[in-house]
Amino acid sequence: MSIEEYLRSSPDLNQFCSQNGWIDDETLCYELMEQNQRHAVINIRFEEILMEGSGCVAARVPCYGKLKLTLNDQGYVESGERI
């Protein structure tokens, strides 16, 4: 899968959430920092949505981090790890 597909479906991003909220996919973006045939390093940013008990949005928390992605021979992401 592509980097974008991986980020939208991977539970790896949950480790960057600070308060057990939800990742707002609309704010998810990444910047490719380096890449070779087997790995890519990306910076990621998104907003974590925190909800009130009533179901209303209580807050949006900016989250960011860095992932090292392992790529297969076709250049698609196989796995990722926080660095």
Side-chain angles (χ1 to χ4, degrees):
M1 70 183 63
S2 71
I3 292 175
E4 188 169 319
E5 289 171 328
Y6 178 79
L7 293 176
R8 293 196 183 278
S9 63
S10 172
D12 290 342
L13 295 186
N14 291 331
Q15 61 190 320
F16 297 109
C17 291
S18 62
Q19 301 185 30
N20 202 26
W22 289 300
I23 295 169
D24 181 358
D25 285 339
E26 296 296 317
T27 63
L28 179 61
C29 61
Y30 72 93
E31 179 182 8
L32 183 62
M33 300 305 292
E34 61 182 80
Q35 183 174 359
N36 61 34
Q37 290 180 344
R38 300 300 297 161
H39 297 97
V41 176
I42 60 171
N43 286 332
I44 56 168
R45 292 187 317 271
F46 61 87
E47 289 183 353
E48 176 183 6
I49 300 172
L50 306 178
M51 304 297 283
E52 292 180 346
S54 64
C56 297
V57 174
R60 291 178 165 271
V61 179
C63 299
Y64 54 90
K66 188 178 282 192
L67 286 175
K68 181 179 181 181
L69 305 174
T70 302
L71 308 176
N72 64 20
D73 292 335
Q74 291 77 37
Y76 293 114
V77 179
E78 290 183 343
S79 64
E81 65 180 286
R82 183 179 184 170
I83 54 174

